Amino acid sequence: MLLVDRPFGVRFRGVFLTSAIRFSFADQLTVSRDRPAGFDYMRITLAAAIICLHGANVTLGFDRAMEIVGHFRMVNAMLLALFFALSGFLVTASLLRCKSLISFIGLRVLRIVPALVVETMLAAIIIGPIFTAIPLGQYFADSKFHVYFLNIVGDVHFELPGVFLHNPAPNVVNAQLWTVPYELWCYAALALLAATTICFNRVLYLGFLVLAQVGLVCYDVYHGDSLFIHLHPHLLVFCFLLGVGFYLWRDKIPFNRATCLFALLLCTAGMAGGRGDALFAVPVVYVACYLGVTNPRRSWIVSSGDYSYGMYLYGFVVQQCVAAFGPSIQYWYLNVLISLPVAFGVAVASWHLVEKHALRLRDQLERFEAAILSRISVIGFWRRSPKRIELGATIGGSASG
């Protein structure tokens, strides 16, 4: 039986439960009926924070911004790590409901691709012609215009011909899309782990994470001279995979505020210098998952839709459009004050006009999957029937199970 420093009490379905047992992430998820508001608030907060950080890039230029923001390296490192950790935790919940890779990959496509297609086309066909410094005939004939559409399939290109040519951060249209290939690597890695059943056996998956942790620490030791203003991409993928592990072991991981504060202090101090980042991935993922499974009262911002992806897609290009109006408003705080509400408004439109409708295709996807599995059942996931985790799953003898 696992003990905590103090007893706790939880009211659930009219019953007040008290115990000296450790209250787990699984218990907290059950209390919130698997719909904690913390994840929704975190995603939109992180998206807004990244727009704030980009305010320096689009008004000072990348080199000057890196000099300044470099003094707050832990902020850059933690923001993306939190994003990838949250994604790993949430995507795993989706994966465990899927019957095969058909629905898992299909759901990822429905969530990511439609909005990305629309954003890419708007940037290339509307924003580009408005802000380009070259004749339109030359703009549409340029190879940069043609290859820009490869962003839709994850082959990221940041430039459109002659666009934002005189901005402090010249030529760059969508700098934030640099993370898209690594997000796709995360999904590909999880799909492979599912196909090999590794992520359906949490003990085996824990062994995989331990080996990966040891390998990344060794890699840091031999490549410690290369510093990033944020986490190296391979560590972002590792944070995603750790998020997967946290979900698989959610009934054994304590939901504890003191542990969260200690983890936050540890990863903030550790990531400030950029040395040994691999050692601090676990505490930053704990912080992400702890904050995510909290369940504050929902406001209309998170109850009316998921606007974080739209803010991510449109934030930088909106900021570049604002910066293009000249030096008089090329101050980071003015850029943020103008861009943030505009990006949020565009994200709201993206959700209600594109993303929400794309997700409604889920039923058709599941019917298609069922038809395929009825003929070729071998391609379905092989796994044991999952044991249902209820509130208090860690109470009594099951705590040491």
Side-chain angles (χ1 to χ4, degrees), residues 25 39 42 78 82 85-86 246 255-257 259-268 280-294:
F25 279 17
F39 286 112
M42 279 202 69
M78 286 188 63
L82 291 170
L86 289 179
F246 269 64
F255 178 76
N256 184 275
R257 183 182 303 173
T259 303
C260 178
L261 292 175
F262 176 73
L264 179 61
L265 178 64
L266 187 65
C267 58
T268 301
F280 305 103
V282 172
V284 78
V285 174
Y286 182 91
V287 172
C289 297
Y290 175 90
L291 295 176
V293 299
T294 58

Side-chain angles (χ1 to χ4, degrees), residues 32-68:
S32 62
R33 294 175 173 84
D34 289 321
R35 290 291 298 170
F39 286 112
D40 299 321
Y41 281 111
M42 279 202 69
R43 285 183 297 197
I44 199 165
T45 299
L46 290 171
I50 288 177
I51 290 176
C52 293
L53 284 177
H54 284 160
N57 293 328
V58 300
T59 56
L60 300 175
F62 288 107
D63 292 338
R64 178 58 179 155
M66 290 301 102
E67 292 177 10
I68 297 173

